[in-house]
Amino acid sequence: MSHCPYDPIVCPPIQFVNHQFFPQVVPVVHPIEIVNQTHIVPVPHHVFPVSVKDPGDPCCHTRSHGKRPVRSSSKR
């Protein structure tokens, strides 16, 4: 056995990746738009006009004594 000094052989390093995840708050904006619309809805409004007629005093109601209409006779 010979005891010769050898230079060590160094291989390239092997990489092991250790993935670590840390939460980071990122604001996500969701805009909301509210649109107010007006809608006209027909609603019936019943109106009952009332007229009151006073025929006068029933005791004093007599026939009218005015002139009768004159008939023209063309047969004469």
Side-chain angles (χ1 to χ4, degrees):
M1 258 200 185
S2 67
H3 290 293
C4 297
Y6 292 108
D7 285 338
I9 299 175
V10 177
C11 295
I14 299 175
Q15 289 187 349
F16 290 98
V17 178
N18 185 14
H19 293 285
Q20 295 181 347
F21 297 96
F22 298 99
Q24 180 182 9
V25 176
V26 176
V28 178
V29 178
H30 299 277
I32 296 175
E33 205 174 67
I34 298 176
V35 177
N36 291 325
Q37 291 183 344
T38 302
H39 300 281
I40 305 297
V41 179
V43 177
H45 176 74
H46 301 281
V47 178
F48 299 96
V50 177
S51 64
V52 177
K53 295 182 181 180
D54 188 10
D57 191 5
C59 297
C60 299
H61 230 335
T62 59
R63 274 191 162 175
S64 141
H65 294 7
K67 294 182 180 178
R68 291 188 177 179
V70 177
R71 293 185 188 170
S72 63
S73 132
S74 59
K75 292 186 177 181
R76 289 189 192 194

